[in-house]
Amino acid sequence: MKRWEDNVRRVTPYVPGEQPKLQKMIKLNTNENPYPPSPEVEKTLRQMETDQMRLYPDPAAGELVRAIAEYYGVKESQVFVGVGSDDVLAMAFLTFFNSDAPILFPDITYSFYDVWADTFRIPYRTIPLNDRFEICPQDYRMNNGGIIFPNPNAPTGAVLPLDAVEQIVSSSPDSVVIVDEAYVDFGAESAVGLTAKYDNLLVVQTFSKSRSMAGMRIGFAIGSEILIRYLQDVKYSFNSYTMNRTAIALGAAALRDDAWFRETVAKIEATRDRTQKELRRMGFSLHDSCANFVFASHGEMSAADIFSALRERNIFVRYFNRPRIDNYLRITIGTDEEMDQLFAALREILGLSA
Ligand code: PMP
């Protein structure tokens, strides 16, 4: 080992889901939306002038911030935007989690949280979900340097009612509580309204799932003006131009077409309900999901074996070889046609008749 390697910041990175480059495949492994973004997005893209690329974008991403503030009924000074919610969350970890007391998050949750904590040297403690894979608010009543959890949780899809979210926020007034609402549009109640009441609450959302724009990388946070100001200070001490011109314009365009958004979300919810019924019929057990994925375990065959058998058929789902969840598959909700092909493959793998 070279001497200089002693001073390298070493991290064990987050492992994103596979992005295979196959012509024909069914990709249900990274919770992308199977439908395209609003036609407003395409129209806006076609009107963009390449000559403008010479110029830096607006560092404040004003057009997008205004559109988000208007859509959610908050002030512009309560909105922070970033390159996907991963960027917003990483910035929030760096900004708000600076205590010697550990930050708290569920033992089964988005697997980026422990990676950011390690990267930024933030002490953390994981709080076990109960046997039904639910977050119990009373378990978070302890000295802490901050709290973060997704609602709905990932990869379980389980939702926490808003009064339970409020219990967690109100019982830790001396630290910042982040609610990661990446999947909130698929059936959970957002905590955005609570940001008016609690200045220590930051709600983070994304355009990657419900707005079909994972490739554009747009995420945002809504919180009290003071929280947002602190986030801006860190962002401007790190990289002023996080959002590119295209993302700013197309994100704002997506928000102008609410009908498209609602229709797309409703289609996914209907397919999810059908998927849950179908999987239960095949012997899977699963809790009701409020996200654009389901989390399922089969009584007869191991998740690892089903994962591999699906993969051989070019059907990609997500398998996490982690304690408590190593017999579960996380399956993103695709189109009805994709799910029908998944069901057919599963019947074949499990030796079931149609
Ligand atoms: N939070 C959760 C819980 C997620 O599952 C994801 C998707 N990997 C993200 C945040 C980040 O999504 P994005 O950066 O695309 O907004």
Side-chain angles (χ1 to χ4, degrees), residues 14 84-86 89 110 113 150 154 180 182-183 206 208-209 217-218:
Y14 169 76
S85 52
D86 279 343
L89 289 166
Y110 186 29
Y113 298 160
D180 175 355
Y183 302 101
T206 178
S208 297
K209 321 290 179 180
R217 312 304 299 128
I218 304 171

Side-chain angles (χ1 to χ4, degrees), residues 31-297:
N31 297 344
E32 287 142 331
N33 195 310
Y35 302 107
S38 152
E40 273 295 309
V41 171
E42 178 163 357
K43 201 172 93 193
T44 307
L45 180 63
R46 288 187 187 284
Q47 288 164 350
M48 293 202 71
E49 294 169 15
T50 43
D51 181 55
Q52 295 282 306
M53 286 181 192
R54 294 182 301 108
L55 306 170
Y56 281 109
D58 171 9
E63 184 188 355
L64 180 59
V65 165
R66 265 191 304 282
I68 293 171
E70 199 173 303
Y71 189 88
Y72 290 94
V74 296
K75 292 193 222 158
E76 285 172 43
S77 50
Q78 289 180 265
V79 178
F80 177 85
V81 294
V83 187
S85 52
D86 279 343
D87 179 46
V88 175
L89 289 166
M91 212 57 81
F93 268 60
L94 189 57
T95 310
F96 300 119
F97 295 163
N98 280 296
S99 167
D100 292 331
I103 63 164
L104 311 179
F105 50 84
D107 64 337
I108 301 169
T109 196
Y110 186 29
S111 48
F112 223 137
Y113 298 160
D114 55 353
V115 174
W116 285 314
D118 287 335
T119 303
F120 298 135
R121 315 271 193 265
I122 300 164
Y124 65 90
R125 174 169 172 180
T126 57
I127 309 293
L129 299 181
N130 71 12
D131 291 344
R132 292 185 47 77
F133 282 170
E134 292 159 340
I135 291 173
C136 303
Q138 64 275 18
D139 297 348
Y140 290 77
R141 279 172 192 268
M142 64 175 83
N143 180 37
N144 67 72
I147 296 176
I148 177 159
F149 58 91
N151 193 34
N153 196 5
T156 62
V159 77
L160 196 61
L162 200 56
D163 58 339
V165 173
E166 183 164 8
Q167 266 182 55
I168 295 178
V169 179
S170 64
S171 63
S172 280
D174 298 331
S175 46
V176 173
V177 178
I178 303 176
V179 185
D180 175 355
E181 294 190 337
Y183 302 101
V184 75
D185 294 325
F186 299 103
E189 214 179 335
S190 173
V192 163
L194 291 178
T195 58
K197 192 168 164 191
Y198 297 97
D199 63 4
N200 62 323
L201 169 65
L202 190 77
V203 177
V204 177
Q205 292 194 13
T206 178
F207 281 48
S208 297
K209 321 290 179 180
S210 54
R211 296 187 189 275
S212 311
M213 294 175 80
M216 262 293 120
R217 312 304 299 128
I218 304 171
F220 63 94
I222 294 179
S224 60
E225 288 179 296
I226 184 167
L227 278 189
I228 299 302
R229 218 161 36 233
Y230 279 124
L231 262 178
Q232 305 280 22
D233 286 348
V234 170
K235 173 205 143 157
Y236 287 119
S237 312
F238 196 83
N239 177 2
S240 318
Y241 303 108
T242 51
M243 306 293 290
N244 66 62
R245 282 175 177 278
T246 317
I248 293 170
L250 301 193
L255 286 173
R256 289 197 290 271
D257 191 354
D258 205 40
W260 181 273
F261 162 74
R262 287 175 191 277
E263 208 175 295
T264 305
V265 166
K267 276 195 284 193
I268 292 170
E269 287 176 351
T271 308
R272 177 187 65 206
D273 295 345
R274 195 167 77 81
T275 300
Q276 300 196 139
K277 282 198 197 101
E278 197 63 44
L279 290 177
R280 285 189 177 118
R281 218 176 354 235
M282 283 187 241
F284 282 93
S285 51
L286 54 160
H287 300 299
D288 284 334
S289 167
C290 283
N292 68 337
F293 55 82
V294 295
F295 197 53
S297 171

